Amino acid sequence: MISTNGHRLAFHVTPGHLPAIVLDAGGGLDSSYWKNLVPVLAGDTGSEIITYDRAGMGASDEVPGPWKVQDAVSDLAAGLRQLGVTHDVVLVSHSEAGEIATSFVNDHPGVVAGAVLVDASLPDFYTPGELSRVIAANQAQIATLAKQPSTRQTRQLLAVAQDYGPAHQAYHQMTWPQDVPAIAIESAKTPFDTSPADARLWRDAQAAFVSHAANRRLVVAANSSHDVPIDRPDVVVKAIQDMIAEVGRT
């Protein structure tokens, strides 16, 4: 457990050499999401493996108020700093954690050597039209959640929903640093397997991301849902191995 800004966060460490592999799960998920991948990665790479529970998830403390990506970035930075991991990180970010990764690499230059973005939420997806559509579509779900008994899960979902519009308007303007290599893994179905228009925009955002720099590439995980680490762990492991080879071992 590490302490930062008045709350505690659970970090789980498998010892090994650098580069350290930091696994960050998607929205509503905790470190247990990676339980099957951790021993595989540790055995295959020999790297230090770090997973953690974001605030309000798993064994970490809840923090009241709206979810803010800046707070999540601060928590991750504090955890890595207290663990002595200040450079040579390969950051593996799934879904919503792509937003944390994008802010982290901008706010903490020199820490992340390379990234694997697993069907990640990327800035190009949140066009004004798409953002308006998503907000409108979520209104009924938010109203239903607000009427349900208060649990950690419902509180977390409502916290994410509170500033969703302004937060993603700002996120749409963000860019990934040119000097940090990245592999983007796109699932076969995307998170929007029942909405062809949304799925197309999601794929377009992945393609746009990798087109912005020569040190990025796209991998499509065939026969996978949005949960690529569950459906196609082999694709994730291979991408991590490739990124480690690219950034080099220290």
Side-chain angles (χ1 to χ4, degrees):
M1 302 298 290
I2 69 103
S3 296
T4 179
N5 295 324
H7 60 275
R8 300 183 312 149
L9 298 162
F11 277 74
H12 311 275
V13 181
T14 301
H17 57 63
L18 295 180
I21 301 170
V22 177
L23 304 170
D24 200 357
L29 301 167
D30 60 27
S31 57
S32 65
Y33 187 73
W34 306 105
K35 64 181 180 181
N36 293 329
L37 268 185
V38 168
V40 175
L41 287 170
D44 286 356
T45 69
S47 286
E48 180 176 19
I49 314 294
I50 298 171
T51 63
Y52 76 110
D53 299 332
R54 290 197 294 275
M57 304 304 301
S60 294
D61 292 344
E62 289 187 74
V63 177
W67 185 86
K68 297 182 181 297
V69 69
Q70 296 89 347
D71 294 337
V73 169
S74 177
D75 285 348
L76 177 57
L80 294 180
R81 186 170 58 249
Q82 292 185 42
L83 292 172
V85 180
T86 58
H87 61 94
D88 288 328
V89 166
V90 171
L91 183 57
V92 182
S93 303
H94 173 242
S95 193
E96 182 184 74
E99 299 173 29
I100 299 170
T102 304
S103 291
F104 188 94
V105 295
N106 280 287
D107 293 349
H108 299 277
V111 177
V112 175
V116 176
L117 303 173
V118 187
D119 221 22
S121 173
L122 298 173
D124 283 296
F125 178 72
Y126 296 95
T127 64
E130 179 65 14
L131 192 52
S132 295
R133 194 208 66 73
V134 171
I135 291 171
N138 287 345
Q139 289 306 305
Q141 183 181 9
I142 293 168
T144 300
L145 283 172
K147 295 176 183 178
Q148 293 179 1
S150 181
T151 64
R152 278 175 69 96
Q153 183 179 26
T154 59
R155 288 192 295 271
Q156 184 71 9
L157 291 169
L158 289 170
V160 171
Q162 280 188 49
D163 287 340
Y164 188 90
H168 287 82
Q169 287 175 349
Y171 185 51
H172 186 56
Q173 304 304 316
M174 293 192 70
T175 58
W176 186 270
Q178 293 282 312
D179 62 342
V180 180
I183 298 173
I185 301 176
E186 176 189 304
S187 71
K189 290 186 175 181
T190 79
F192 305 98
D193 58 327
T194 61
S195 174
D198 290 330
R200 182 172 60 252
L201 184 58
W202 184 267
R203 294 189 182 100
D204 288 347
Q206 308 291 317
F209 173 81
V210 300
S211 73
H212 293 325
N215 60 359
R216 305 176 197 172
R217 65 183 177 91
L218 182 66
V219 174
V220 177
N223 303 313
S224 69
S225 70
H226 182 51
D227 285 311
V228 180
I230 305 299
D231 299 335
R232 292 298 309 274
D234 58 311
V235 174
V236 178
V237 170
K238 177 64 163 56
I240 294 170
Q241 290 172 332
D242 289 350
M243 184 53 65
I244 288 174
E246 181 170 344
V247 304
R249 175 180 171 182
T250 61

